[in-house]
Amino acid sequence: MAQNNLTSKSENYEDMLIYIAELYYLKGLSQQQIADLTHQSRTNISRLLKICVEKGIVEFRIKKPTGKRVYTASQLEQTFNLKKAIVVPNGGTDEQLKRRVAIEAGEYLRSILKDDILIGINWGSTVYEIVKNFSVNHKYNIDVIQLLGGVNSKLRDADGQHILQSFASNFNGSGYILNAPFIVKNKEIKELLMDEPPIKDHFEKMTKIDIAILGIGNHTPQSSIYNSGYLTDEEMEMLKNDNAVTDICGYGIDIDGNPVETVTTNRIIGINLDTLKTIPIRMGCSSGINKTQAVLGALRGGYINVLVIDEETANAVMIEAINGK
């Protein structure tokens, strides 16, 4: 009888392992979501997933990047003097592609983490995906600082404070919140805010950032800057008519990488472009062929030196660069 009970328990245990593995690897649930679903701790779910690998319930096969993608990444690195370019295969929906780019960005980020560094983080839909899919096995002593204001947004991917707090929870360190809106009403209000001691201290700390995590925005109705609620309909129409093909931390950039004066330029509460360029690692992430010119402008301006991008857009960027567009 004891043997039968033991067998039954063993079978139940293996069934549970298979169930957890399916939720995590096939259905894409996070460890915390599985923990909530199964009434266990996230730590225990992590342990059980490792057991799944050890028992051979889960097997990994790494498919090396095709020569074509490796070549495209190398072209991007040489053409734009990048530290690293990562080209992600296309396929699936726009959201699935964005998630793959975000996961690859997280993988690269994990490979360069070390104790006692400061990471600056922007907001936007791609940055939000990076944070949502990011986790670490080792709790580094790392501080995180908000690059761009953002409070009370109607979109979670435009809520700078939420994104910072979620990302900072991966580390043993401090999270430095920028207690200010993304865009204020006028230049005078910005100057008053920037003169406040806590804001001044925050911007001084930004000069010590080691790694910046950036989205590459564009001025379309689908972009976070449009849907965040920070701009009026009239201001959004004005942005459509300027020469900016992208925005980096809210600042308009043209196809040649030059800053463009827009209706928001003197009202943004966020890191300035000169300070941004002093950061040793500036990782920009983007997906979707509609971002081709946005990526090209960001690269030509030198605002990013690590690029994570999908294959179709990477090829389009190289074609436009070669043709001098």
Side-chain angles (χ1 to χ4, degrees):
M1 180 65 71
Q3 181 63 39
N4 288 339
N5 287 340
L6 182 61
T7 301
S8 175
K9 288 179 180 177
S10 177
E11 288 173 352
N12 289 338
Y13 180 63
E14 186 158 317
D15 285 343
M16 179 183 67
L17 290 176
I18 293 170
Y19 177 58
I20 289 171
E22 287 177 341
L23 291 176
Y24 187 72
Y25 291 107
L26 298 182
K27 296 188 178 180
L29 272 67
S30 69
Q31 292 184 18
Q32 186 59 58
Q33 287 173 320
I34 297 170
D36 294 340
L37 187 63
T38 59
H39 305 291
Q40 300 184 63
S41 68
R42 180 177 173 178
T43 302
N44 195 46
I45 296 300
S46 178
R47 183 181 65 82
L48 293 173
L49 287 169
K50 289 179 182 177
I51 292 173
C52 288
V53 175
E54 292 167 0
K55 285 181 168 287
I57 293 171
V58 174
E59 295 179 347
F60 296 104
R61 185 180 68 177
I62 299 175
K63 184 177 179 181
K64 293 183 179 179
T66 64
K68 187 176 179 182
R69 283 193 286 118
V70 171
Y71 176 69
T72 303
S74 177
Q75 277 190 309
L76 287 165
E77 289 169 359
Q78 293 175 27
T79 303
F80 298 104
N81 194 28
L82 301 177
K83 292 180 181 290
K84 182 73 173 176
I86 300 169
V87 179
V88 178
N90 283 91
T93 66
D94 291 345
E95 287 306 310
Q96 288 170 334
L97 183 58
K98 182 177 291 187
R99 185 169 184 264
R100 283 204 297 279
V101 166
I103 289 170
E104 287 293 337
E107 286 292 329
Y108 173 76
L109 187 59
R110 273 189 289 273
S111 74
I112 60 172
L113 293 179
K114 60 183 180 179
D115 287 319
D116 303 321
I117 62 173
L118 178 62
I119 299 178
I121 189 162
N122 198 0
W123 51 256
S125 60
T126 305
V127 174
Y128 176 71
E129 281 296 320
I130 294 171
V131 172
K132 189 169 70 171
N133 291 283
F134 185 81
S135 63
V136 289
N137 293 322
H138 172 69
K139 284 261 188 179
Y140 290 93
N141 181 35
I142 289 174
D143 293 338
V144 184
I145 188 167
Q146 193 175 333
L147 293 176
L148 196 63
V151 293
N152 299 323
S153 170
K154 62 183 181 182
L155 294 179
R156 177 152 285 193
D157 61 29
D159 188 335
Q161 294 188 0
H162 170 77
I163 288 174
L164 176 129
Q165 290 167 337
S166 296
F167 187 65
S169 68
N170 290 285
F171 309 113
N172 290 325
S174 300
Y176 295 98
I177 289 174
L178 180 52
N179 283 306
F182 165 41
I183 296 173
V184 293
K185 190 173 181 180
N186 53 52
K187 181 180 178 181
E188 289 71 29
I189 292 175
K190 174 180 177 175
E191 290 173 349
L192 287 171
L193 276 174
M194 295 293 287
D195 201 41
E196 288 294 317
I199 302 291
K200 289 177 75 171
D201 290 345
H202 190 97
F203 275 77
E204 175 60 30
K205 190 172 289 292
M206 281 199 237
T207 64
K208 300 176 176 63
I209 294 172
D210 300 286
I211 301 170
I213 303 172
L214 307 165
I216 302 174
N218 60 354
H219 293 168
T220 66
Q222 292 75 39
S223 67
S224 295
I225 192 171
Y226 271 82
N227 294 307
S228 62
Y230 292 116
L231 299 172
T232 66
D233 291 341
E234 182 182 3
E235 288 168 338
M236 289 191 289
E237 284 300 318
M238 292 172 72
L239 281 177
K240 287 180 186 177
N241 296 323
D242 63 34
N243 294 320
V245 296
T246 184
D247 72 83
I248 301 296
C249 293
Y251 297 99
I253 306 296
D254 69 17
I255 190 65
D256 296 315
N258 302 309
V260 173
E261 189 81 15
T262 72
V263 67
T264 63
T265 298
N266 296 318
R267 298 159 50 201
I268 294 168
I269 307 295
I271 189 169
N272 66 61
L273 295 177
D274 289 337
T275 301
L276 178 67
K277 283 189 173 184
T278 67
I279 298 172
I281 296 176
R282 308 179 297 279
M283 182 175 70
C285 309
S286 184
S287 64
I289 194 70
N290 65 316
K291 292 286 191 76
T292 299
Q293 291 200 332
V295 173
L296 190 56
L299 289 170
R300 283 175 170 165
Y303 302 105
I304 60 176
N305 58 12
V306 172
L307 176 66
V308 187
I309 190 173
D310 66 280
E311 186 173 9
E312 183 181 20
T313 310
N315 290 330
V317 167
M318 284 307 309
I319 288 170
E320 293 210 9
I322 290 169
N323 291 335
K325 292 186 178 180

